[in-house]
Amino acid sequence: MRKYEVVIIVKPGEEEAINTTIAKFENIIKNTGGNVDKVDRWGKKRLAYEVKDFMDGYYTLINFTSEPATVFELERVLKITDDVLKHMVIKLED
């Protein structure tokens, strides 16, 4: 198993909707055999440039341990989720 981190920028809005979106990605990691090590919510921040007509976004960093197949599934769902403005998955050094 390898260590990864994903930064997700979600559309700003109601806290309940943001929590549901972030929980969705945590569940994908857990259901595909990975372990969520840490969830760090950075909160609402101003974007450097406009993304999908938004100037603000809710930032979240998730550190997790999983197999590469989990990362492929996570990225697939991140790409098709309308509430996600941007995301980046990084493999960490051992």
Side-chain angles (χ1 to χ4, degrees):
M1 302 243 295
R2 299 176 181 160
K3 292 186 179 283
Y4 297 92
E5 68 180 18
V6 60
V7 176
I8 305 168
I9 305 175
V10 180
K11 291 180 182 177
E14 295 181 21
E15 190 171 336
E16 185 177 320
I18 293 169
N19 291 338
T20 302
T21 304
I22 294 168
K24 172 182 174 180
F25 299 119
E26 290 179 44
N27 289 333
I28 289 171
I29 294 168
K30 292 174 187 174
N31 293 338
T32 55
N35 297 322
V36 175
D37 300 329
K38 182 180 173 187
V39 178
D40 191 10
R41 295 171 182 249
W42 295 347
K44 185 177 174 183
K45 299 204 181 281
R46 188 115 174 116
L47 301 172
Y49 53 89
E50 188 174 310
V51 178
K52 297 181 184 175
D53 297 327
F54 288 95
M55 287 303 297
D56 296 319
Y58 190 90
Y59 285 68
T60 304
L61 172 71
I62 302 174
N63 292 331
F64 63 99
T65 307
S66 72
E67 295 296 331
T70 299
V71 176
F72 293 129
E73 177 63 14
L74 180 64
E75 284 191 323
R76 184 187 73 78
V77 176
L78 281 163
K79 288 176 185 175
I80 62 174
T81 303
D82 291 335
D83 289 339
V84 174
L85 299 176
K86 292 273 188 181
H87 71 278
M88 184 185 320
V89 180
I90 300 171
K91 179 181 169 244
L92 300 175
E93 296 290 324
D94 291 335

